[in-house]
Amino acid sequence: MRIYREKDYEAMSRRAAQIIAAEIAHNPACLLGLATGSTPEGAYRYLVDWYKQGLLSFKDVRSVNLDEYVGLAPDHDQSYRYFMQSNLFDHVDIDPANTRVPDGLTRDAKAFCDEYDAFIRAQGYVDLQLLGIGRNGHIGFNEPGGCFVKETHVVDLAESTIDANARFFASRDDVPKQAISMGMGAIMGAKKVLLCASGEEKADAICGSVLGAISPSCPASILQLHPDVIVVVDEAAFSKLAAAGFQA
Ligand code: PGA
């Protein structure tokens, strides 16, 4: 596990974007595993900027997203498909046919999830998987629980996740209670993982993920078993690791 300790959100975003851009430069037809949320917004901003400057092309890039809310249509402004379009896809030359986000309106979730996993497996898994992290240590929407779930699956969101995401909706009651999430099989199958976090509210989750027991009670802790993980954090998210004497 390599840890980049950056000054603030902006520096974290730039570093994450550099790592993604390097992957694309190295492998122009790479399969990127993409994430949504406040954490990757800044990195996507850098990537769009570099694309506009002609430094980067997404022409042959393919992508699969980690998760989507159950019940939200792609054009709902809080759906993760909408997020990806407005933060990245609409501004770069990626082929829309090469982008995949779980279908929150699927009528047959089991068949959909099986097909999602089959697709990822058939591609030889993701080349670079971008991850944010929840305050409770979730990655994708793999919430803390009794076991790590391997397959893409429908998840009941943790109350703390609903609380954290309520800021994006008119009221807490409007936050979907379920999501479709890639499972740990696809995440751990990725050739390289890029975990990003910013802010003090992520410090416990980052510390637990890097130094804690490998346990489904902190889902991101499973990344300790992955051979190629890059963690990019700002000072605030690093603070509990620093307090534990961890050097980076
Ligand atoms: P955030 O969410 O980037 O909006 O903080 C991350 C997550 O919950 O995985």
Side-chain angles (χ1 to χ4, degrees):
M1 203 177 260
R2 253 175 304 158
I3 302 196
Y4 288 96
R5 177 181 179 177
E6 304 291 347
K7 183 162 58 80
D8 54 16
Y9 178 81
E10 204 55 32
M12 175 207 72
S13 299
R14 189 177 164 86
R15 176 73 70 188
Q18 283 170 341
I19 292 165
I20 297 166
E23 180 68 30
I24 297 170
H26 172 70
N27 178 7
C30 60
L31 179 62
L32 295 179
L34 296 178
T36 52
S38 307
T39 308
E41 264 177 13
Y44 293 150
R45 198 173 5 91
Y46 276 103
L47 292 173
V48 169
D49 192 35
W50 296 338
Y51 164 73
K52 288 186 172 158
Q53 290 180 49
L55 301 172
L56 185 65
S57 170
F58 290 77
K59 190 167 67 65
D60 297 318
V61 168
R62 298 158 307 127
S63 70
V64 281
N65 261 77
L66 278 170
D67 45 19
E68 178 60 284
Y69 287 118
V70 168
L72 295 197
D75 60 356
H76 186 291
D77 67 4
Q78 291 307 322
S79 78
Y80 288 164
R81 165 55 79 175
Y82 187 94
F83 176 100
M84 289 311 303
Q85 294 299 138
S86 50
N87 283 278
L88 183 66
F89 298 155
D90 285 347
H91 309 291
V92 298
D93 59 346
I94 197 163
D95 180 347
N98 285 341
T99 68
R100 280 182 163 73
V101 179
D103 177 5
L105 297 183
T106 180
R107 287 172 183 274
D108 186 346
K110 173 82 178 81
F112 178 85
C113 292
D114 289 351
E115 190 279 329
Y116 211 69
D117 283 333
F119 171 78
I120 293 168
R121 265 197 313 274
Q123 307 309 307
Y125 289 89
V126 162
D127 291 298
L128 175 65
Q129 177 65 56
L130 174 61
L131 298 173
I133 187 169
R135 297 165 201 210
N136 62 5
H138 74 202
I139 46 178
F141 273 131
N142 291 279
E143 300 284 26
C147 64
F148 294 113
V149 179
K150 183 175 170 190
E151 294 83 14
T152 296
H153 58 293
V154 175
V155 189
D156 293 327
L157 299 181
E159 291 298 319
S160 63
T161 300
I162 294 171
D163 289 341
N165 292 1
R167 68 190 193 277
F168 299 117
F169 290 83
S171 80
R172 191 182 187 279
D173 287 345
D174 292 327
V175 184
K177 306 292 178 283
Q178 290 188 313
I180 293 175
S181 180
M182 220 186 246
M184 292 305 194
I187 293 172
M188 291 298 283
K191 297 181 186 79
K192 188 175 288 178
V193 174
L194 171 57
L195 173 68
C196 298
S198 165
E200 207 178 335
E201 68 273 17
K202 301 293 176 68
D204 280 324
I206 286 294
C207 189
S209 305
V210 173
L211 293 182
I214 298 168
S215 158
S217 62
C218 178
S221 63
I222 198 173
L223 298 174
Q224 292 176 41
L225 298 176
H226 191 285
D228 195 355
V229 177
I230 304 172
V231 180
V232 182
V233 286
D234 65 9
E235 282 297 341
F238 187 80
S239 58
K240 290 281 163 66
L241 279 177
F246 191 89
Q247 305 283 333

